[in-house]
């Protein structure tokens, strides 16, 4: 038996969320006294692959061919499931990223496995009982789910498990994957990346603006603050509905659920649907001119004031802090 | 073009989520149930794509009789007919299995789901359905066009987007951007009453997951307020106390 971790890369590089998932999978392997096997698909250089050993991979399988250059979930699921079978892995771990969420259900069906998507903590294993805590009701609650099948698939929410260094052998091996022609029906035509920006689901700091900012022309200061903090920008639903910002920035119950270390809400009232998407943030800061705004009920720090005066001051204060650090 | 839209019946987004029976059951007391917002978007796009005699839209729900109000809403929005698979939706696997059985007997060109259901929200049904039917599944889809016997979709990826061409039949999990949600008009509401709603019995299937209990996020402490002209104090606290910058 072993634990298999799918190590997702973005343009040949592993992201922090991948290392989090490796650390998490390592801990499960330790819990179950087995090996951790990592699988990497696509063009990833050896210096990147060797990083996987640092977080506890005993073995690293690499699969790279022209057909698998772009992510196609059907084909990737076949590769990962075939690796799980070959390695005798009964637990497959991946990151609960956009791609991970496209893979987990397909792998689950292939392996006849129960799937715990949105996992936020290590499983509890006692005898035959295997339970995982996961998000539910769009961030408004957590559920403890028992996986009753022999095989299990777990998708870990980014930023919910700490990266832990734990050196292992990390022997790199080429893996020849079993795929079939019908796995490649969906064809990637184009990939558009806005590389200059921090991606929202991965971000450790998020600066988010609401209707209180009055219009898209006022987002310059939001972007400036975000740039200074190395943060991603986000917004409330009415802001993206009005076309002030792209839909991909909309946070909340019907948008993206984020779990950054710091979420700064500016001119956002804190409607229940918005709060659902930010409840896993470690620290929440609110700037709102209304002291009664519900956002202050969940915020850890707050400033009651006009965003048009407060944000420029925050920008100045961050600049000062950075200059002195 | 035959489109199947999978719809789920979920608590209204304003619902404060609470639990009963020692935190093992979702408390439905006083909860208003609605058509899952993402499914509404999927349905709206399906109707746009088939308008003017270009095809038909069937909605399918795995649920007990109590979901029929939501199914009628989907018919009022403009679906042509509906299927209810009569069972409590145990989990995504159970739901996907039932829908796959139905699709195997009644073929469709395009199967739409929402990106996720806002209750148990695993975003799993689309992928499981694709796997069970051995056809492509794509999500999270922000744009969906069809041309002849294939679709062009825009998928969200971290920090960007991806455009894919996918031949029929395939499954797409849709999100905002795909369409504006349609609102039922009077004629739709009237005709919804007489549109076919077929009830099908569920097939037996082995479960592989079980929800044991629930909890709500730990309450957060009191907010620490900083005066409006002391921005530097806030930044200081975030550095020294919260240790997040
Ligand atoms: C089905 C459904 C799903 C939904 N899903 C989501 C979701 O996923 N995410 C989401 O965000 N919303 C969602 N909503 C909408 C939600 O109910 C709220 O309407 C929305 O979150 C409010 O956005 P807001 O806080 O930006 O705007 P408002 O509620 O209008 O709040 C603006 C805030 O800005 C403050 N303000 C105004 N001027 C200033 C100023 N100069 N300086 C500082 N503060 C100022 C005001 O005091 C106010 O608190 C959903 C609604 C529905 C019906
Ligand atoms: N009980 C159900 N009946 C029909 N379709 C469903 C049901 N539950 C979920 N779905 C569909 O699957 C999508 C994703 O749900 P989930 O995997 O639960 O997040 C939803 O947006 C619906 O389109």
């Amino acid at each position: 038996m072993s634990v298999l971790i799918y190590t997702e890369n973005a343009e040949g590089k592993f992201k922090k969320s991948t290392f989090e998932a490796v650390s998490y999978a390592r801990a499960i392997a330790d819990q179950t006294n087995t090996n951790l096997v990592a699988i990497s698909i696509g063009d990833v250089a050896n210096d990147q692959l060797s990083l996987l050993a640092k977080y506890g991979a005993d073995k690293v399988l690499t699969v790279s061919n022209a057909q698998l250059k772009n992510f196609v979930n059907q084909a990737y699921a076949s590769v990962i499931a075939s690796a799980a079978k070959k390695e005798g892995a009964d637990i497959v771990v991946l990151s609960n990223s956009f791609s991970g969420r496209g893979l987990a259900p397909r792998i689950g069906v292939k392996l006849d496995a129960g799937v715990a998507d949105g996992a936020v903590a290590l499983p509890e294993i006692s005898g035959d009982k295997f339970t995982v805590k996961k998000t539910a009701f769009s961030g408004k609650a957590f559920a403890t789910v028992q996986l009753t099948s022999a095989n299990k698939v777990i998708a870990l929410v980014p930023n919910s498990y700490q990266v832990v260094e734990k050196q292992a052998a990390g022997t790199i091996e080429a893996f020849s994957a079993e795929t079939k022609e019908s796995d490649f029906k969906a064809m990637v035509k184009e990939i558009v990346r806005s590389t200059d920006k921090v991606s929202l689901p991965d971000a450790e700091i998020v600066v988010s603006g609401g209707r209180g900012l009055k219009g898209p022309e006022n987002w310059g200061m939001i972007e400036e603050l975000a740039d200074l903090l190395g943060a991603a920008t986000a917004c409330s639903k009415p802001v993206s509905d009005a076309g002030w910002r792209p839909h991909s920035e909309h946070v909340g119950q019907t948008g993206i659920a984020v779990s950054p270390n710091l979420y700064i809400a500016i001119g956002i009232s804190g409607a229940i649907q918005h709060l659902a998407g930010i409840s896993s943030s470690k620290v929440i800061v609110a700037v709102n001119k209304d002291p009664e705004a519900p956002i202050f009920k969940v915020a850890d720090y707050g400033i009651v004031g006009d965003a048009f005066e407060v944000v420029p001051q925050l920008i100045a204060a961050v600049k000062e802090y950075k200059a002195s650090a | 073009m035959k489109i199947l839209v999978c719809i789920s019946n979920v608590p209204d987004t304003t619902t404060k989520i609470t639990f009963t029976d020692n935190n093992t059951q979702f408390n439905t007391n006083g909860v208003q149930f609605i058509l899952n917002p993402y499914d509404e978007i999927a349905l709206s796009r399906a109707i746009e794509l088939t308008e003017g005699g270009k095809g038909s839209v069937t909605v399918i729900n795995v649920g007990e009789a109590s979901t029929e109000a939501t199914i009628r809403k989907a018919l009022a929005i403009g679906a042509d007919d509906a299927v209810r698979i009569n069972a409590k939706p145990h989990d995504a696997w159970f739901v996907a299995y039932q829908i796959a059985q139905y699709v195997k007997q009644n073929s469709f060109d395009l199967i739409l789901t929402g990106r996720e259901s806002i209750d148990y929200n695993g975003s799993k049904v689309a992928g499981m359905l694709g796997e069970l039917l051995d056809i492509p599944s794509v999500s999270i889809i922000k744009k969906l066009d069809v041309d002849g016997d294939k679709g062009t979709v825009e998928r969200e990826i971290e920090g960007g987007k991806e455009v894919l061409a996918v031949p029929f039949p395939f499954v797409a999990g849709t999100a905002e951007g795909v369409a504006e949600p349609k609102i039922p008009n009077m004629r739709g509401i009237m005709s919804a009453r007489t549109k076919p709603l077929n009830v099908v019995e569920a097939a037996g299937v082995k479960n592989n997951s079980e929800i044991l209990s629930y909890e709500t996020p730990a309450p957060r402490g009191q907010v620490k307020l900083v005066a409006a002209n002391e921005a530097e104090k806030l930044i200081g606290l975030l550095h020294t106390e919260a240790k997040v910058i």
Side-chain angles (χ1 to χ4, degrees), chain A residues 82-225:
Chain A
S82 73
K85 284 182 189 152
K86 186 144 170 281
E87 295 294 325
D90 54 349
I91 302 174
V92 177
V93 177
L94 20 75
S95 178
N96 201 71
S97 59
F98 291 139
S99 301
R101 291 170 86 174
L103 282 171
R106 296 201 78 118
I107 298 171
V109 171
K110 282 182 189 290
L111 298 177
D112 192 13
V115 181
D117 53 278
V120 292
L122 277 177
E124 286 189 18
I125 308 167
S126 76
D128 272 350
K129 196 166 169 189
F130 190 105
T131 62
V132 187
K133 183 172 161 181
K134 56 156 280 177
T135 58
F137 295 95
S138 313
K140 289 181 179 173
F142 297 101
T144 296
V145 61
Q146 182 180 4
L147 302 182
T148 50
S149 48
N151 290 332
K152 294 152 183 93
V153 175
I154 307 176
L156 176 71
V157 172
N159 229 353
S160 60
Y161 192 81
Q162 286 267 317
V163 170
V164 185
E165 286 192 23
K166 188 162 192 252
Q167 191 65 42
T171 327
I172 298 173
E173 276 178 28
F175 177 72
S176 69
E178 288 163 33
T179 52
K180 49 187 196 309
E181 218 26 64
S182 62
D183 284 341
F184 295 95
K185 280 190 185 148
M187 292 260 293
V188 176
K189 292 285 175 201
E190 192 190 350
I191 299 177
V192 186
R193 280 184 206 274
S194 31
T195 32
D196 51 325
K197 283 189 126 192
V198 182
S199 107
L200 180 57
D202 296 328
E204 289 180 34
I205 302 181
V206 175
V207 180
S208 190
R211 203 144 56 176
L213 288 167
K214 309 283 188 280
E217 66 281 5
N218 296 324
W219 245 263
M221 61 181 188
I222 301 293
E223 282 178 337
E224 187 178 356
L225 181 59

Side-chain angles (χ1 to χ4, degrees), chain A residues 238-273:
Chain A
V239 165
S240 61
D241 283 348
W244 298 358
R245 302 295 295 174
H247 278 305
S248 55
E249 286 197 359
H250 152 201
V251 162
Q253 189 174 6
T254 54
I256 290 181
V258 294
S259 49
N261 296 336
L262 174 60
Y263 185 84
I264 305 181
I266 300 168
I268 292 178
S269 60
I272 186 166
Q273 298 100 339

Side-chain angles (χ1 to χ4, degrees), chain B residues 65-66 81 145 182 204 241:
Chain B
S66 57
D81 59 356
D145 287 306
K182 284 193 189 304
E241 190 178 89

Side-chain angles (χ1 to χ4, degrees), chain B residues 1 3 42-57 110 112 143-147 150-152 168 170 174 178-179 182:
Chain B
M1 176 172 45
I3 306 183
L43 173 62
S44 302
R45 186 62 186 144
I47 293 166
E48 286 172 8
L49 289 172
T50 52
E51 251 158 13
K54 287 200 290 269
S56 64
V57 179
L110 188 56
L112 301 183
K143 211 166 165 233
L144 167 67
D145 287 306
V146 300
D147 175 17
K150 68 171 200 312
T152 303
F168 286 168
F170 68 92
T174 64
V178 158
K182 284 193 189 304

Side-chain angles (χ1 to χ4, degrees), chain A residues 1-6 29 32-40 57-63 78-93 111 151 170-178:
Chain A
M1 291 229 231
S2 63
V3 176
L4 181 72
I5 164 83
Y6 165 60
T32 52
N33 272 316
T34 55
N35 283 340
L36 178 63
V37 181
I39 181 162
S40 163
D58 295 303
K59 182 154 90 177
V60 177
L61 306 176
T62 67
V63 192
S78 288
V79 174
I80 297 165
S82 73
K85 284 182 189 152
K86 186 144 170 281
E87 295 294 325
D90 54 349
I91 302 174
V92 177
V93 177
L111 298 177
N151 290 332
T171 327
I172 298 173
E173 276 178 28
F175 177 72
S176 69
E178 288 163 33

